[in-house]
Amino acid sequence: MIEVEHLSKAYGSTTAIRDITFGAQPGEILGFLGPNGAGKTTTMRILAGYLPASEGTARVAGYDVHTDSMAVRQRIGYLPESPPLYPDMTVQGFLNFVAKIKGVPADLRQKRADIAMDHCGLLDKRKVLIRKLSKGYRQRVGIAQAIIHDPPVIILDEPTVGLDPRQINEVRQLIKGLAGSHTIILSTHILPEVSMTCDRVTIINRGQVVATDTPDNLTTRLSGEAVYELEVRGDVTTAQRLLRELTPVRQVTQLGPEHLPEHHHRLRVSAEADRALGGLISSALVNAGLELHELRRQQATLEDVFLNLTTTEPTTGATASPETPDPELPTVEPTPEQSET
Amino acid sequence: MTLLLKNILAIYQRELQSYFASPLPYIIAAVFWLLGGFFLVAILLGPQGILAQAAMADQAVQMGMPSSPPFDVAYEFNKAYVGLLGSLSMFVLPMLSMGLYADERKQGTLELLATSPVTNWAVALGKLLAVVSFYIAMVLPLMVCQSIALGAAEPPTGSGVFLLSHLGLVLMAASVLALGMFISSLTESTVLAAIMTFALILLLWLVDAVAQGLPGVVGSAIAHLSLLKHFTDFTEGIFDTGGLVLFLSFIGLGLYLTAQSIETLRFQRS
């Protein structure tokens, strides 16, 4: 439904996006995730036909957004970064106007406007001037105008900005409800949004796609490396030697002795993902007569994936494993939250 | 084709609606009517007014100066008054055209229009029709006042020159509004758009002055391109197809430039 191939866009000498390729299947919700300034809005604008690409092609519903602009415009609903609203119109008047210019037949306009207002929780605001609406309601009107003509493709640029948590939840439900019959691409810099609403995620950073996959796959892909943190009492050299002898282990580092009782040592073990590793570690240490006080496995969340993919500075401190076989997918900075064994 | 008309109509309606929602058009209309009413009285009854001039002309004839041409009060009044409305409009038109696109750009609604299945042409035409309608609505009450004065003329005059001169007024206003709309599409600032449109009007005045000042072929060539020259012709009751074509060309040029400007704008916007 959406096909983007080798898309680039330069403003003068600055490159906003470079060689972006991704796609969305019919009925799918594609999340377009990236930090601010990564090129999300630029990509959305190109897809909506508002900006031309410097290079590459983008097709929506089989039509090139540049050469077949009108055909594309008829098939998209687009919520720009800032909702395009006429402050001096009422919600109903505005939606009616949008329905007209989107080519909704006269006899369907009222019905479509009602449906859109109902979806976006605007029914009690229909007679209110947009000027008098709060930011959250304006955002909803923006979403309503994007779905009023029931377009097959919906492009939403940061749809939940400015909404309170309850509204955010409603909008996410709304977006989910639209999936299936509509193809939706939404940009965001909020991670939970992606893991909650999207079928697939394209992560973009500094104008380039760094990963495309399902939210689940992205997390597992990056937890291909398992990291354990443990606290032992006894001879640390022996402990390190024992751990290195275990097959899946790649690296063992000793962490700072802060807040530790005497003879206690904290170690970080990075290894290939292996479910049985926890057992191996504990039995190896205990059999050698060392006391194991703590053993934790750390797992990557989507947040880590995102940070790792979008942060170029080397992670500081006691981070594990300098071995980064795939430069596009650097190591995961683990967060201490999972399973205590 | 019907879809195109529907789109133009939708834009037209929305634009007209917006005039009722904002105080600015009311203020502009109020000032225009105040000044228009004042000058109606001043031109007709003032110390240098048409009636005073007519009295002087009568006196001259009575004193036996047959060389002076006969003085047609109704004609002279119409010519002077519509000419004045033209000058007055020059100050008002920039204020009418300034927000046409600048506001859309500022509100971000241009992004909505540019991504809707509406051509730039339809948007520009709808907007121009709306603002010209508003201008006509501003001129109409003054026309009524003027026609009351003309109705008192003795002998009664035909309405031909009266209507023709106002047609000229509206055509000139539409030409200036079309160019002003183009200027408005170049910026996000309404103030800047108004100032630049006014500068354009000064340029039109300059062209007219140059045309009158330069002798020979060059002068008359420039005069053919002068909006004001052709407007003056209309107020004098001269219907010149050349003038009509010129006005329509300016309107077409304004529409074309606006449509092109939006096309390139959205293609260069950073």
Side-chain angles (χ1 to χ4, degrees):
Chain A
M1 222 38 185
I2 300 172
E3 302 145 84
V4 173
E5 281 162 20
H6 307 293
L7 205 64
S8 297
K9 172 71 188 173
Y11 297 108
S13 56
T14 40
T15 310
I17 54 170
R18 192 180 305 132
D19 199 20
I20 281 188
T21 301
F22 66 91
Q25 304 302 315
E28 188 178 56
I29 306 180
L30 177 71
F32 207 60
L33 184 66
N36 292 330
K40 298 191 296 287
T41 295
T42 300
T43 313
M44 296 287 148
R45 283 184 163 169
I46 292 173
L47 279 179
Y50 187 60
L51 279 178
S54 308
E55 273 168 60
T57 55
R59 274 190 302 279
V60 171
Y63 296 95
D64 187 288
V65 293
H66 189 64
T67 53
D68 271 329
S69 177
M70 276 299 158
V72 171
R73 291 186 200 187
Q74 280 162 6
R75 288 166 179 80
I76 58 163
Y78 173 47
L79 170 68
E81 201 177 15
S82 58
L85 309 172
Y86 292 101
D88 290 324
M89 295 179 97
T90 61
V91 172
Q92 175 138 32
F94 173 69
L95 290 178
N96 196 24
F97 166 69
V98 176
K100 269 191 225 168
I101 60 168
K102 299 282 185 189
V104 178
D107 49 333
L108 282 176
R109 266 178 225 148
Q110 190 56 50
K111 200 175 135 223
R112 289 298 319 166
D114 283 344
I115 293 172
M117 281 190 282
D118 185 33
H119 272 320
C120 301
L122 287 165
L123 281 172
D124 51 338
K125 300 281 180 190
R126 59 164 67 203
K127 302 265 189 237
V128 182
L129 286 180
I130 289 170
R131 175 154 46 93
K132 301 197 169 163
L133 292 178
S134 67
K135 195 169 186 298
Y137 272 107
R138 288 181 194 200
Q139 189 70 22
R140 294 198 207 186
V141 180
I143 297 171
Q145 65 83 21
I147 61 172
I148 188 161
H149 51 303
D150 202 18
V153 176
I154 302 173
I155 300 168
L156 304 170
D157 199 351
E158 311 228 342
T160 55
V161 161
L163 302 179
D164 65 35
R166 195 177 56 85
Q167 293 169 340
I168 288 179
N169 196 35
E170 284 171 12
V171 168
R172 284 179 190 155
Q173 294 309 319
L174 164 66
I175 292 170
K176 275 188 181 171
L178 291 169
S181 49
H182 304 77
T183 310
I184 302 171
I185 174 165
L186 68 92
S187 81
T188 180
H189 60 266
I190 305 160
L191 281 150
E193 193 142 293
V194 164
S195 40
M196 277 181 226
T197 46
C198 300
D199 302 319
R200 276 191 319 131
V201 194
T202 292
I203 298 182
I204 177 178
N205 187 40
R206 299 191 175 200
Q208 284 177 303
V209 172
V210 284
T212 303
D213 216 327
T214 64
D216 286 347
N217 278 356
L218 274 178
T219 21
T220 35
R221 218 167 111 194
L222 276 120
S223 47
E225 181 185 69
V227 175
Y228 289 83
E229 249 184 51
L230 49 102
E231 190 184 319
V232 287
R233 187 171 184 276
D235 183 18
V236 69
T237 337
T238 321
Q240 289 194 3
R241 184 176 51 79
L242 286 169
L243 289 171
R244 287 209 180 89
E245 280 168 5
L246 298 170
T247 328
V249 171
R250 289 192 190 133
Q251 206 200 14
V252 181
T253 37
Q254 185 167 8
L255 304 180
E258 294 90 15
H259 314 298
L260 286 178
E262 226 179 320
H263 303 301
H264 283 238
H265 305 278
R266 197 184 289 283
L267 295 172
R268 184 196 293 269
V269 178
S270 52
E272 282 163 38
D274 183 350
R275 290 275 163 205
L277 189 60
L280 289 175
I281 290 174
S282 57
S283 55
L285 293 174
V286 172
N287 288 344
L290 294 157
E291 291 174 24
L292 183 60
H293 284 255
E294 189 184 328
L295 177 61
R296 281 189 301 169
R297 189 164 78 91
Q298 299 182 332
Q299 205 171 37
T301 62
L302 195 56
E303 199 125 5
D304 303 314
V305 178
F306 180 62
L307 282 174
N308 272 284
L309 291 173
T310 55
T311 315
T312 42
E313 290 84 17
T315 41
T316 48
T319 315
S321 174
E323 300 156 31
T324 50
D326 184 354
E328 284 219 325
L329 300 170
T331 44
V332 178
E333 162 115 51
T335 48
E337 59 179 59
Q338 262 84 28
S339 60
E340 266 203 318
T341 35
Chain B
M1 193 62 202
T2 49
L3 187 71
L4 188 69
L5 285 177
K6 270 183 193 162
N7 284 335
I8 293 171
L9 192 67
I11 302 283
Y12 174 80
Q13 282 172 340
R14 199 214 63 75
E15 195 70 31
L16 263 195
Q17 253 176 7
S18 73
Y19 290 117
F20 292 96
S22 155
L24 187 68
Y26 288 97
I27 295 169
I28 293 173
V31 171
F32 187 72
W33 287 332
L34 187 73
L35 291 175
F38 169 75
F39 282 111
L40 180 76
V41 175
I43 285 176
L44 200 57
L45 306 171
Q48 302 289 314
I50 298 291
L51 290 184
Q53 285 179 33
M56 272 165 63
D58 277 353
Q59 255 178 354
V61 172
Q62 277 166 12
M63 284 165 71
M65 280 196 265
S67 58
S68 62
F71 195 85
D72 184 343
V73 177
Y75 173 79
E76 291 295 332
F77 167 62
N78 182 66
K79 181 183 158 191
Y81 188 61
V82 178
L84 174 110
L85 284 184
S87 307
L88 202 57
S89 299
M90 292 304 178
F91 295 93
V92 170
L93 295 176
M95 285 185 266
L96 290 183
S97 67
M98 65 183 182
L100 283 175
Y101 274 92
D103 277 344
E104 301 268 1
R105 291 186 65 176
K106 204 161 59 185
Q107 291 162 3
T109 41
L110 194 59
E111 202 161 344
L112 168 67
L113 295 179
T115 54
S116 294
V118 188
T119 58
N120 295 331
W121 274 95
V123 176
L125 189 58
K127 279 176 172 291
L128 184 66
L129 286 175
V131 73
V132 169
S133 303
F134 183 77
Y135 179 75
I136 291 174
M138 272 173 50
V139 172
L140 270 178
L142 295 176
M143 278 179 80
V144 171
C145 295
Q146 201 195 345
S147 63
I148 291 170
L150 286 175
E154 191 67 44
T157 51
S159 55
V161 174
F162 170 68
L163 290 177
L164 185 67
S165 57
H166 279 280
L167 175 71
L169 184 67
V170 168
L171 280 174
M172 184 186 64
S175 310
V176 172
L177 287 171
L179 295 174
M181 179 168 73
F182 163 60
I183 290 170
S184 176
S185 74
L186 297 175
T187 171
E188 267 181 35
S189 155
T190 47
V191 176
L192 191 63
I195 292 171
M196 281 167 60
T197 309
F198 192 68
L200 177 87
I201 288 171
L202 289 180
L203 189 73
L204 292 177
W205 258 320
L206 192 69
V207 168
D208 194 53
V210 168
Q212 284 175 7
L214 277 181
V217 186
V218 182
S220 68
I222 295 175
H224 277 296
L225 294 172
S226 164
L227 282 179
L228 293 169
K229 161 80 172 55
H230 287 96
F231 168 59
T232 314
D233 285 352
F234 271 83
T235 62
E236 287 170 352
I238 304 166
F239 179 76
D240 177 10
T241 330
L244 186 68
V245 169
L246 184 81
F247 284 133
L248 293 179
S249 308
F250 266 92
I251 294 169
L253 179 73
L255 285 172
Y256 173 77
L257 287 177
T258 309
Q260 289 306 306
S261 135
I262 296 307
E263 193 72 13
T264 49
L265 258 185
R266 52 181 259 249
F267 279 11
Q268 282 173 2
R269 209 180 137 111
S270 52

